[in-house]
Amino acid sequence: MKKVIFLLTLFFAVTAFHDAKASHIAGADISYVYIGDSTGIPFNYMITVRVYRDTEGIPLGNGPLDLTISSTTCGESRVKNFPLIPFDDPTSPFFNPNDPDGGGYIPGYEICGDSTGTDKYRFAQFLYQDTVILSGPCVDWRFTHLTACCRNSDIDNLADLGTGILVVGKLNNTAGPNNSAQFNTPAVKLFCKNKKFDWSQGAGDPDQSDELLFSLANPLGGPAPDGTLLNYNPGYSFEEPMTTQNGFTMNSKTGVVTFTPIKKEFIVFKMIVQDFRYDPGFGDTVLVGEVMREIQIPIENVCGSENSFATGPRIDVQAFGQTSTDMTFQEIQDLLGVSGIDTSANPPGGTNANPNFSLRKVPIINSYSCFDTSVVIQFNPDFKAKCSSIDPTDFRIIGPDSILRPVVRVNKNCDGYVGQTATDRLELILEKPFDVNGQYILYTKRGNDGNVVTDECGFELGQFFLMLINVSDCPPLIYNMENVTVEQDQRIKIDWKVNPEYFAKGAASVFSAWSILKRNASAGGDFYPQEYVKDPTLRSWTDTFVTEEDVDLTRYEYAVQLIQNGEAMPATPNAINNIVITNELVTSNELKFDWTSYNGWANPQFQFYFGEFDTISQSFNWQPDGPLANSLTHTFLLAQNIPSGDSSLYGFKVEAESLDSSITYISESNWMYIDFRPEIDSIPDSTIVDLGTPYVPNVFTPNGDGFDDTFWVSLEEGGNFRQYPEISISVYNRWGQLVYENADFNEVNNRDEGWDGTDINSGQKLADGVYYYVINMSDPDTFTEKNYQGHVTIFKNGQ
């Protein structure tokens, strides 16, 4: 009986001794880069080995690592000690206060599993790095190291645990220097069951022309240099190292591992990354390198707790230019103008030690300026956003003017290396830049891809994560009408002024158009957009739509409206009209002239002018008649100003001036004429040709029912009428964007063809609404030209 007890005691003692001495090696990888070009030493390589261990085992110590460098074809084998590069800087994100030997913290180890656990420092990484000078080009260079014994006895899938990890790197440098794949994620990570994961083990290759191939492999134990294949427990293999729902797969091109665990367990798997290159000497692709990584994954039952707010990518509330404030649930609802929204995406207020779940912590960003066109969202480096889940429709930005600033593109920063699946920085590209002062609301929503931004573990950030952006440096938009004048009795010219600081600070980036507003003040009409002009530097505009007859008969009133970011700003607070002068013969010696008032400035003064036409200069010699005054009438004495028997053409006009010396504009009226020359024989009636009066529809219904499906211009015909041989047309939407244009519209100007309401930009039928047209009709034979403008309504549901 004593012997039995002794044997049992010995068995437990050996087992206890094994665990006490076990290093609990948890993973390892190797990589190398060629540095001969920078050092000037041929065949010079920098080799890096990382070893991971479970801190529940015995310490590794801070001694060096022995690496064997060998080549059978070159007949070389030697060992070099690689020093430990400690993570001993307390300010480093890798600093691990629980490892006195310089082992580093593993960022993001716990984010996919129980993020409220206390074992975030349970695993540590050890970095060994040094240079190696090879003796020459060989096809079979090997870099090997057998780590300390042993693996953790809690591992479920491996049967052979009493050995270290055999680390192997290979190099064929006969085709030239080579850089191996460089691993970009740690080899240890915590996951949980019943969640699908796409975990990137991708590695970038500095040699851009090389191709990488990822594959699963059997873990190796000692002895070196070839090692021993380790056995798996029943139900496991190197291709299926985990108990999963639909299998365990690795993308051979990217190294992304996909799995859905369904059991709490502790597993190990290994991958190798082969590096291929085209060798012109062989005329084929050859293997030029190979590195490996052994990975350890604990699978837990629970993925974080509801109160931890650790699910989903975390916004870095400490990023540059950001502060945060605590807001109540109701305050957030009021801010968004939405009832019943879920605000749990924002973390609780208070401190981490004493969270207040009645509050939500809302980041406030103060680092943006007026006219910025993008917003950067910085995630906590441990909690990166998953690249494939990011879509522009995941975000919404609303300005203080309640106008939406759509996110049209996202720079994901997901192309840093081959197989990258997560990012810690997004740049949201806005369709409409910041252009007014105030607080902009940025929040997340469920996008067109069916999800909100998720992290690399598959957790969503959640809808209505709220961020506030303060913009306060937008220059004031101040603009006014300055003057309206008739030019040479033919056209009307307008001038306006804008606060120069506005465009000097970058407003051109949000400029869409100047909308020239016009109304027939004589008839009491309403303002309508006469034209949209796209030059932000423009401060004057000439109305070519009026005719010489128009300026003699009609008083028009003008204003200007800025279209900014596709939205109409308030029009100039003032509108100005042109001056229309008329006359009547009172007696045989008196001509009475009257003119409309002018509202370009306060208390305008008017100067009446008459002038004789100079046939040599082809202009009038204008001279004032009477004093400058505020009267709206003037009597002109013919005998006093025009010699008896004179045979000349005389013109008459009035000009408005200001008594304010700071106003340098002059507004001129139309001209009236008296011709004392003998009459010219009239043109024979047989040569009179009248161009028909156009009929332009104000509505059409492009619905394919055969009635009013097209927009076209019908012209009066018959008798001495004839069609305009040349017709051009342009149509604009309410924001001044050109939606249709045809310089040869006369070729399709009929009921069956015409314009069918198709947008020239998208090729799609335009939405119902009001559109603005400009039509030019001309006859080169008679040098006649007419311009027409107005509005047409598209109404597809009409009959």
Side-chain angles (χ1 to χ4, degrees):
M1 188 65 178
K2 291 183 179 179
K3 290 184 179 179
V4 174
I5 294 175
F6 174 77
L7 291 174
L8 289 174
T9 304
L10 179 62
F11 171 78
F12 286 116
V14 171
T15 303
F17 177 78
H18 177 270
D19 279 346
K21 294 298 184 181
S23 63
H24 283 193
I25 291 296
D29 56 48
I30 185 171
S31 62
Y32 54 83
V33 294
Y34 179 69
I35 60 173
D37 291 337
S38 60
T39 63
I41 302 173
F43 311 113
N44 194 7
Y45 284 81
M46 175 72 73
I47 301 178
T48 300
V49 177
R50 290 182 187 266
V51 176
Y52 300 82
R53 82 173 185 94
D54 188 333
T55 55
E56 293 178 351
I58 65 173
L60 289 180
N62 55 13
L65 172 149
D66 58 308
L67 187 74
T68 300
I69 302 102
S70 63
S71 168
T72 301
T73 59
C74 289
E76 182 176 339
S77 178
R78 55 192 165 100
V79 176
K80 182 171 183 177
N81 290 331
F82 274 48
L84 173 70
I85 310 297
F87 297 97
D88 53 5
D89 181 0
T91 64
S92 169
F94 302 103
F95 179 70
N96 187 342
N98 295 341
D99 199 301
D101 295 326
Y105 168 59
I106 302 175
Y109 155 71
E110 78 285 359
I111 65 173
C112 295
D114 185 5
S115 54
T116 61
T118 58
D119 62 346
K120 64 184 296 183
Y121 292 107
R122 176 181 172 184
F123 292 89
Q125 59 175 316
F126 293 80
L127 174 64
Y128 303 89
Q129 192 175 68
D130 205 349
T131 60
V132 171
I133 301 174
L134 304 179
S135 60
C138 303
V139 297
D140 58 350
W141 284 111
R142 290 167 64 95
F143 313 118
T144 58
H145 167 72
L146 180 63
T147 70
C149 181
C150 299
R151 292 172 173 82
N152 195 322
S153 60
D154 290 335
I155 292 174
D156 293 294
N157 63 344
L158 281 183
D160 298 330
L161 302 175
T163 179
I165 299 173
L166 184 63
V167 180
V168 180
K170 299 179 182 180
L171 168 65
N172 170 10
N173 63 343
T174 59
N178 182 54
N179 298 289
S180 75
Q182 307 296 306
F183 293 104
N184 293 286
T185 57
V188 179
K189 204 175 195 70
L190 180 67
F191 292 97
C192 68
K193 68 180 186 180
N194 299 326
K195 294 287 290 184
K196 181 181 178 180
F197 299 100
D198 294 310
W199 185 32
S200 172
Q201 288 298 317
D205 190 339
D207 302 318
Q208 296 297 316
S209 60
D210 289 2
E211 295 183 6
L212 299 181
L213 180 65
F214 298 83
S215 60
L216 297 169
N218 207 110
L220 294 177
D226 298 320
T228 303
L229 296 177
L230 300 185
N231 295 312
Y232 281 86
N233 287 319
Y236 300 97
S237 68
F238 77 87
E239 294 176 322
E240 295 292 339
M242 179 189 299
T243 308
T244 64
Q245 186 177 83
N246 297 306
F248 187 93
T249 62
M250 171 175 283
N251 187 308
S252 63
K253 296 294 185 182
T254 65
V256 175
V257 184
T258 302
F259 54 93
T260 304
I262 59 174
K263 180 181 177 182
K264 176 179 171 64
E265 57 188 359
F266 209 4
I267 69 104
V268 169
F269 75 92
K270 178 183 174 181
M271 62 180 290
I272 60 173
V273 189
Q274 294 176 304
D275 190 356
F276 292 87
R277 177 184 304 171
Y278 179 77
D279 186 348
F282 286 92
D284 199 358
T285 299
V286 297
L287 180 66
V288 294
E290 178 180 304
V291 290
M292 55 77 62
R293 161 175 274 188
E294 185 173 308
I295 302 165
Q296 191 172 111
I297 296 179
I299 306 297
E300 298 291 344
N301 281 319
V302 181
C303 285
S305 68
E306 181 180 353
N307 292 336
S308 71
F309 287 84
T311 56
R314 292 182 183 175
I315 303 294
D316 184 1
V317 295
Q318 303 300 323
F320 172 77
Q322 291 184 188
T323 58
S324 63
T325 186
D326 292 343
M327 299 180 66
T328 67
F329 176 83
Q330 188 60 50
E331 287 173 335
I332 294 178
Q333 286 197 85
D334 293 343
L335 189 64
L336 290 177
V338 180
S339 298
I341 62 172
D342 179 12
T343 62
S344 60
N346 283 81
T351 65
N352 291 334
N354 299 293
N356 182 349
F357 289 96
S358 67
L359 302 174
R360 295 289 180 261
K361 195 171 292 295
V362 177
I364 299 178
I365 309 173
N366 297 305
S367 56
Y368 289 98
S369 300
C370 197
F371 311 128
D372 278 349
T373 58
S374 66
V375 174
V376 173
I377 297 179
Q378 191 77 39
F379 294 96
N380 185 311
D382 290 352
F383 298 83
K384 298 180 179 180
K386 185 177 178 181
C387 294
S388 60
S389 72
I390 301 167
D391 188 86
T393 57
D394 292 336
F395 307 93
R396 175 164 290 178
I397 297 179
I398 300 175
D401 50 6
S402 299
I403 295 176
L404 184 67
R405 268 69 175 175
V407 177
V408 294
R409 193 175 76 256
V410 178
N411 290 339
K412 301 181 182 183
N413 299 294
C414 289
D415 54 358
Y417 54 86
V418 176
Q420 183 178 350
T421 59
T423 180
D424 59 4
R425 184 178 184 272
L426 301 180
E427 183 181 16
L428 311 182
I429 308 302
L430 310 182
E431 179 186 55
K432 298 178 179 181
F434 302 134
D435 59 345
V436 295
N437 289 324
Q439 195 167 71
Y440 293 75
I441 302 171
L442 164 62
Y443 65 92
T444 57
K445 63 188 186 71
R446 196 167 301 282
N448 292 341
D449 56 354
N451 59 41
V452 189
V453 178
T454 61
D455 64 15
E456 58 183 312
C457 307
F459 304 129
E460 283 192 338
L461 173 62
Q463 292 206 87
F464 305 113
F465 185 97
L466 183 67
M467 302 178 71
L468 304 178
I469 302 171
N470 290 329
V471 174
S472 59
D473 63 341
C474 289
L477 172 59
I478 303 172
Y479 63 138
N480 290 279
M481 290 292 297
E482 292 285 285
N483 191 44
V484 172
T485 185
V486 178
E487 291 189 314
Q488 298 294 309
D489 195 33
Q490 295 177 335
R491 301 285 186 252
I492 298 177
K493 178 177 176 289
I494 70 172
D495 295 273
W496 66 94
K497 181 173 68 175
V498 182
N499 172 22
E501 180 188 12
Y502 190 69
F503 281 98
K505 285 196 172 182
S509 64
V510 297
F511 173 84
S512 299
W514 295 113
S515 175
I516 309 300
L517 304 180
K518 174 181 174 182
R519 78 180 187 97
N520 187 330
S522 297
D526 295 328
F527 279 106
Y528 62 90
Q530 174 67 83
E531 189 172 10
Y532 296 95
V533 289
K534 301 298 183 69
D535 183 358
T537 65
L538 201 66
R539 299 294 181 270
S540 64
W541 175 82
T542 300
D543 190 351
T544 60
F545 298 94
V546 297
T547 64
E548 295 179 26
E549 293 83 358
D550 290 334
V551 298
D552 286 334
L553 301 173
T554 308
R555 182 170 62 93
Y556 293 104
E557 196 167 47
Y558 296 86
V560 172
Q561 185 176 43
L562 174 63
I563 310 297
Q564 177 174 289
N565 259 343
E567 299 289 339
M569 298 292 104
T572 50
N574 61 326
I576 304 179
N577 60 260
N578 61 301
I579 303 172
V580 179
I581 187 171
T582 58
N583 74 303
E584 62 175 323
L585 185 64
V586 179
T587 69
S588 60
N589 186 48
E590 292 181 347
L591 280 174
K592 182 182 179 184
F593 291 87
D594 298 290
W595 53 88
T596 58
S597 62
Y598 182 68
N599 59 350
W601 47 78
N603 191 26
Q605 303 294 299
F606 299 95
Q607 178 68 64
F608 182 84
Y609 289 90
F610 79 100
E612 182 178 4
F613 186 74
D614 186 340
T615 56
I616 297 176
S617 65
Q618 293 291 299
S619 62
F620 287 95
N621 296 314
W622 297 106
Q623 53 184 308
D625 186 47
L628 184 70
N630 58 8
S631 173
L632 298 177
T633 185
H634 180 77
T635 299
F636 183 77
L637 301 178
L638 294 172
Q640 181 176 323
N641 293 285
I642 299 177
S644 176
D646 195 358
S647 178
S648 297
L649 174 67
Y650 285 87
F652 305 88
K653 67 176 182 178
V654 66
E655 291 181 353
E657 303 177 22
S658 175
L659 296 177
D660 185 346
S661 60
S662 65
I663 299 176
T664 59
Y665 289 104
I666 292 177
S667 179
E668 184 177 287
S669 72
N670 58 306
W671 300 351
M672 305 300 294
Y673 305 92
I674 295 181
D675 193 351
F676 290 96
R677 296 172 298 177
E679 292 187 6
I680 302 175
D681 292 339
S682 61
I683 301 174
D685 290 343
S686 60
T687 65
I688 295 177
V689 177
D690 190 9
L691 294 164
T693 302
Y695 169 73
V696 184
N698 58 14
V699 65
F700 74 108
T701 59
N703 54 15
D705 64 357
F707 299 96
D708 298 323
D709 285 334
T710 61
F711 177 81
W712 64 290
V713 182
S714 60
L715 299 170
E716 186 176 6
E717 296 184 82
N720 285 332
F721 297 122
R722 75 182 204 182
Q723 292 270 14
Y724 283 87
E726 296 180 358
I727 304 175
S728 67
I729 182 172
S730 301
V731 184
Y732 303 84
N733 63 16
R734 63 187 294 266
W735 299 284
Q737 181 183 20
L738 183 69
V739 296
Y740 178 71
E741 185 175 40
N742 190 343
D744 300 312
F745 190 71
N746 47 282
E747 296 180 0
V748 296
N749 186 38
N750 57 72
R751 187 185 304 276
D752 296 327
E753 295 180 276
W755 175 48
D756 65 356
T758 297
D759 187 345
I760 61 172
N761 303 297
S762 66
Q764 304 295 317
K765 290 295 182 67
L766 290 165
D768 288 359
V770 178
Y771 296 84
Y772 168 70
Y773 63 78
V774 177
I775 300 174
N776 177 268
M777 302 181 178
S778 60
D779 184 354
D781 293 337
T782 60
F783 303 102
T784 303
E785 181 176 336
K786 292 286 186 179
N787 292 286
Y788 299 91
Q789 61 282 321
H791 298 82
V792 61
T793 299
I794 293 179
F795 185 43
K796 292 192 286 291
N797 292 326
Q799 300 297 323

